[in-house]
């Protein structure tokens, strides 16, 4: 059991029309403190999103999802968050916001491989 670590994760949801409350899962954020690991992976089902709102700003949604991945990756892509530690970047990304791309609630689990967990959750909850 000692080779497994607690991790936290949240879904990224696209809410094209907030007043309707409908959403499409479009990504997952994973944070594992003992490994100083944070990552986001996204997958946008454009047909499903367009079914909810045929006039949704697809380029804007794609850009917002890429920005989340960039903040997690750090470096130049993270902008002002580039020098923040993994935990701070994760907490900033999961803060509630009323934009079209919103984080869902945070959940926890145990993993021996946080990077593999990102892919597993993406396949299970998004694709």
């Amino acid at each position: 059991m000692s080779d497994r670590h607690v991790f936290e994760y949240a879904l990224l949801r696209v809410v094209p029309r907030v007043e309707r409350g409908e959403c499409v899962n479009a990504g997952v954020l994973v944070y594992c403190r003992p490994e100083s690991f944070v990552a986001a992976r996204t997958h946008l089902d454009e047909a499903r999103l367009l079914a909810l709102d045929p006039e949704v700003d697809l380029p804007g949604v794609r850009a917002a999802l890429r920005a989340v991945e960039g903040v997690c990756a750090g470096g130049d892509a993270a902008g002002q968050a580039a020098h923040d530690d993994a935990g701070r970047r994760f907490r900033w990304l999961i803060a509630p916001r009323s934009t079209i791309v919103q984080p869902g609630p945070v959940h926890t689990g145990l993993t021996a491989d946080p990077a593999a967990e990102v892919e597993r959750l993406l396949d299970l909850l998004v694709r």
Side-chain angles (χ1 to χ4, degrees):
M1 186 76 151
S2 64
D3 62 333
R4 294 177 13 164
H5 301 289
V6 172
F7 74 95
E8 299 174 70
Y9 72 94
L11 287 171
L12 291 173
R13 298 174 174 162
V14 179
V15 184
R17 295 180 58 195
V18 176
E19 68 277 9
R20 293 182 59 132
E22 299 167 329
C23 66
V24 173
N25 292 346
V28 64
L29 295 160
V30 172
Y31 169 58
C32 183
R33 182 176 176 214
E35 298 289 319
S36 296
F37 176 88
V38 65
R41 283 288 316 255
T42 62
H43 172 81
L44 183 60
D45 185 333
E46 293 180 4
R48 184 180 286 173
L49 186 56
L50 287 168
L52 293 180
D53 183 0
E55 297 182 20
V56 67
D57 177 12
L58 285 175
V61 171
R62 284 189 220 107
L65 293 172
R66 279 192 309 272
V68 170
E69 290 179 328
V71 169
C72 285
D76 292 339
Q80 290 180 326
H83 302 292
D84 289 342
D85 63 34
R88 189 172 172 119
R89 291 194 313 266
F90 179 74
R91 297 284 173 239
W92 183 78
L93 289 168
I94 63 165
R97 48 186 49 92
S98 60
T99 61
I100 193 168
V101 175
Q102 300 178 6
V106 176
H107 305 280
T108 60
L110 291 172
T111 188
D113 185 352
E117 202 64 45
V118 175
E119 294 301 321
R120 185 186 78 80
L121 290 170
L122 189 72
D123 286 340
L124 180 69
L125 302 171
V126 178
R127 291 190 177 137

